[in-house]
Amino acid sequence: MFENIQLFFTQLSFFLGHLDPLAAFWSAAKFAAQGLLLAFIIISACARFKIFRRKNKYWNIAAKLYFIYIPIVCMGAGVSLGLLQYIKAVNDETVSVWLQPVKQEMADYLQSLPPEVSANLSLPALKTHIRIAIEQALNESPTASRLAGLINQMPAPAKTLLLEKFADVVVEKLNEKISDATRIDEKILSQLWQHNAIALIKSDLLDRVVSQKTHGLIDDYQKNSLILTLLLLLLPVADTLIARFLEQRRTPTQALASGQ
């Protein structure tokens, strides 16, 4: 337990060492500018169609505050998204730098092994063994002898393709089990089956596997930020709908009073 805590603080200090306040500021400013542009489009449309005009004098003055409220909400959402996006980028950089020495040592070790050994240390090789095991099971099992006979009578290309499909089904089920146990995305796992061990270590797939949980957490925060922004923007929408409803109720009443 103590080693896990020590590793956590080591990673945290390593992460904090890569933080750049100026880069974080520019990331937040870039997204805030996009939010301000969106707010400008919204308030321009509202001003053009007089969305925030109210019959009541004091309500009309209060409704004009939405021209300030909407830009603040959109800019706040932009700052939040920009900072979270910067944290995601820093995390990727940190993981890449942190894993590079480990990946290099693993690659050097695998390259030092005999070719016949290193060739079997890959997921594509494992998939090949799965296909061979399926073929042997079809030939050896008494209950599958009829099915094996039908498959063996097929042309070689068709037989190979069918066995590959069987192996794909097994790999898919295996990916589901591994994904459920490790919480690793199945799409990433499916890509691992396309690389040998050395190519896998040198690629960025391991970085993505390590960063996946952090990305998922940041994505959740970004979704929550967008949901909160939409809820805050519903306030002027609800206010406008209430105003229109009251005006529609008041119009028939006024017409009836004038007729009398």
Side-chain angles (χ1 to χ4, degrees):
M1 180 177 179
F2 177 75
E3 293 179 354
N4 292 333
I5 296 175
Q6 187 178 14
L7 179 62
F8 169 76
F9 281 105
T10 301
Q11 294 175 351
L12 180 62
S13 61
F14 198 72
F15 174 81
L16 294 176
H18 284 75
L19 288 177
D20 184 357
L22 184 60
F25 170 78
W26 283 116
S27 179
K30 180 177 67 176
F31 279 81
Q34 296 176 5
L36 184 60
L37 177 61
L38 176 62
F40 177 76
I41 295 174
I42 294 175
I43 62 178
S44 296
C46 292
R48 177 181 178 85
F49 296 102
K50 300 179 180 180
I51 300 297
F52 299 138
R53 186 178 64 179
R54 306 289 185 262
K55 296 294 185 180
N56 183 277
K57 175 182 178 181
Y58 299 104
W59 194 355
N60 186 56
I61 295 174
K64 296 301 185 289
L65 294 176
Y66 290 132
F67 289 109
I68 302 175
Y69 173 80
I70 292 175
I72 291 176
V73 170
C74 292
M75 288 181 64
V79 170
S80 174
L81 294 175
L83 290 176
L84 290 172
Q85 195 67 25
Y86 173 72
I87 292 174
K88 185 185 293 187
V90 172
N91 172 79
D92 293 344
E93 180 183 355
T94 303
V95 169
S96 178
V97 174
W98 187 53
L99 286 181
Q100 188 58 39
V102 179
K103 291 165 63 176
Q104 187 61 47
E105 288 188 14
M106 294 173 63
D108 292 342
Y109 174 76
L110 291 175
Q111 288 175 339
S112 66
L113 295 175
E116 61 273 11
V117 176
S118 60
N120 290 320
L121 296 176
S122 64
L123 291 177
L126 177 58
K127 183 177 178 180
T128 301
H129 290 311
I130 291 174
R131 183 183 62 79
I132 294 174
I134 292 173
E135 185 176 6
Q136 291 177 348
L138 288 173
N139 291 329
E140 296 174 0
S141 174
T143 57
S145 58
R146 184 175 180 181
L147 177 60
L150 293 175
I151 295 176
N152 290 328
Q153 292 175 3
M154 297 174 64
K159 177 182 176 181
T160 301
L161 179 61
L162 182 60
L163 292 174
E164 286 289 341
K165 294 298 182 181
F166 286 158
D168 289 338
V169 173
V170 174
V171 168
E172 183 178 351
K173 295 298 181 182
L174 183 59
N175 282 348
E176 291 180 3
K177 297 292 184 181
I178 297 175
S179 178
D180 292 340
T182 62
R183 303 299 180 185
I184 299 176
D185 188 76
E186 290 187 28
K187 293 182 179 179
I188 296 179
L189 288 173
S190 63
Q191 295 180 24
L192 299 181
W193 293 87
Q194 304 172 10
H195 298 77
N196 60 42
I198 297 177
L200 177 61
I201 292 172
K202 290 183 177 180
S203 69
D204 62 345
L205 284 175
L206 290 181
D207 300 356
R208 290 165 56 190
V209 170
V210 174
S211 300
Q212 181 189 345
K213 290 186 178 181
T214 303
H215 279 211
L217 184 63
I218 294 175
D219 290 342
D220 288 340
Y221 279 123
Q222 289 179 327
K223 290 178 183 178
N224 292 335
S225 177
L226 290 175
I227 292 174
L228 177 60
T229 301
L230 291 176
L231 290 176
L232 291 174
L233 291 178
L234 283 178
L235 176 60
V237 174
D239 180 80
T240 301
L241 292 177
I242 293 173
R244 295 292 182 269
F245 175 74
L246 293 177
E247 289 175 5
Q248 290 176 359
R249 287 191 59 185
R250 188 181 299 113
T251 300
T253 304
Q254 291 176 349
L256 181 61
S258 61
Q260 293 176 347

